Amino acid sequence: MEKIQILAIGRNPVLMQKLSVFMNDNPRWESTATVDDETAIEIFHQRKFHIVLLVDEIESESFKKLNSVFTFNDPDIIFIRHEGDSTG
């Protein structure tokens, strides 16, 4: 069974590391996390992702840039923008 490939992008390195560990604990998911846009774009071009998860610290300009680059290269990519409490 093919794993769902998730690219998670946020600004807090500790949160992103914990989130990646949490997601990779699910045997059906494989996540890669990064804290900067340029690295995210490089990673995106190297692998096929099904989902891009943007964590709530992503600035509006970064969101627009990433959305534009990713959807241009893969119109079927699913974007999830997490906004809210991440204390759990």
Side-chain angles (χ1 to χ4, degrees):
M1 169 183 6
E2 181 183 11
K3 291 186 177 192
I4 296 171
Q5 299 295 318
I6 303 167
L7 176 59
I9 307 164
R11 298 295 184 246
N12 181 322
V14 174
L15 174 62
M16 297 312 296
Q17 201 279 331
K18 288 181 180 181
L19 180 62
S20 187
V21 168
F22 172 76
M23 288 190 290
N24 286 326
D25 197 36
N26 184 321
R28 296 182 61 205
W29 299 345
E30 185 173 335
S31 76
T32 303
T34 185
V35 295
D36 70 89
D37 298 348
E38 297 310 315
T39 302
I41 291 168
E42 285 180 33
I43 293 169
F44 184 83
H45 287 302
Q46 294 171 2
R47 294 181 39 207
K48 167 74 174 151
F49 289 94
H50 301 101
I51 298 171
V52 173
L53 173 62
L54 302 173
V55 179
D56 57 356
E57 302 101 16
I58 297 294
E59 308 82 12
S60 182
E61 286 302 312
S62 288
F63 171 77
K64 290 176 189 173
K65 174 183 174 181
L66 294 169
N67 186 39
S68 175
V69 169
F70 295 161
T71 56
F72 177 80
N73 287 284
D74 184 355
D76 296 325
I77 192 79
I78 297 170
F79 264 85
I80 300 173
R81 189 168 189 181
H82 175 268
E83 296 181 17
D85 187 2
S86 59
T87 59

